Amino acid sequence: IGPGCGMIVVVKGNAYGAGIEGVAPALEAAGVERFAVAWVSEGVQLRELGVRRPILVLGHAFPEDAGAALAHDLTITCHSLALGRAMSAAAVRTGKTARIHIHIDSGLHRDGVSLEEGVALAGELRGLPGGEVEGISTHMANADEPDDSFSDAQAALFRDATERLPGIPYRHTANSATALRRAGLRFEGVRIGLALHGVLP
Ligand SMILES: *Cc1c(COP(=O)(O)O)cnc(C)c1O
């Protein structure tokens, strides 16, 4: 992936079935920059296994997850102001920083917020105490298909989002397939799951 690009190791689903108890400590010892999981409960499990690096929750978190997220220093993908408010309140209560990423739905239509919603949400989140909008992300819909040209449209929308939201330091769009095929979409970090586990998408 080259210099200047971090590696977010995706270990959701029990490290793709490989066994999180073995995989996570090995990756931590190898010096990976960040971990990612789908759910808050998986992030808590990683902390219980001794992982100390940043952990990003990619999937849908709920306001009632905020306490556990702050207690275990989990970075949350935030889709709603209600979740942002809960994270802010938990941050103020604990004296910690609520780290938040905003996921822009650029065409996969699985999760995230639209460009307009994301711009509005980031503004609102930045007005809350105790929080930091650290990251902005998207996910390519067909990066692993022979024709991945839809990624061009998605990338254009994502660049639009980053231009309208300057000052969010960590941008990430690439799963294994995107990271391998499109060097221009690696940004600050790539979210590597399949390739990490030995599968060429
Ligand atoms: C699972 C997942 C990844 C990793 O994808 P791979 O194809 O396994 O590399 C990256 N980003 C998100 C949002 C995911 O849910």
Side-chain angles (χ1 to χ4, degrees):
I1 58 173
C5 177
M7 187 140 136
I8 308 170
V9 292
V10 182
V11 294
K12 64 192 177 192
N14 192 26
Y16 288 56
I20 192 71
E21 301 86 352
V23 170
L27 290 169
E28 175 104 336
V32 300
E33 186 199 351
R34 269 169 207 262
F35 288 79
V37 290
W39 307 111
V40 166
S41 58
E42 293 178 312
V44 172
Q45 189 190 8
L46 279 185
R47 289 287 181 237
E48 286 167 354
L49 288 170
V51 166
R52 303 179 64 93
R53 300 272 167 155
I55 299 172
L56 171 63
V57 177
L58 300 168
H60 199 102
F62 297 87
E64 51 271 36
D65 291 324
L70 266 291
H72 295 92
D73 288 316
L74 306 179
T75 306
I76 293 297
T77 305
C78 183
H79 313 272
S80 74
L81 185 55
L83 176 59
R85 286 208 178 104
M87 289 290 291
S88 166
V92 169
R93 211 164 49 236
T94 56
K96 294 182 172 184
T97 300
R99 285 194 189 77
I100 288 169
H101 288 211
I102 292 179
H103 189 82
I104 303 290
D105 177 7
S106 60
L108 176 59
H109 303 318
R110 183 177 67 185
D111 45 22
V113 292
S114 73
L115 172 58
E116 294 306 325
E117 288 167 340
V119 170
L121 181 60
E124 287 166 329
L125 293 176
R126 283 171 161 168
L128 298 173
E132 182 195 340
V133 183
E134 176 196 68
I136 182 166
S137 63
T138 194
H139 196 82
M140 299 303 157
N142 59 354
D144 57 352
E145 290 170 18
D147 176 7
D148 73 338
S149 55
F150 185 54
S151 293
D152 295 325
Q154 291 190 264
L157 191 142
F158 183 71
R159 283 184 200 284
D160 205 10
T162 60
E163 274 160 28
R164 290 180 60 186
L165 291 169
I168 301 182
Y170 203 96
R171 300 164 297 171
H172 50 105
T173 74
N175 62 357
S176 297
T178 304
L180 289 165
R181 291 173 88 175
R182 290 176 171 259
L185 294 182
R186 291 177 189 152
F187 295 98
E188 279 70 51
V190 292
R191 306 186 300 263
I192 301 293
L194 282 175
L196 174 76
H197 296 92
V199 180
L200 182 62

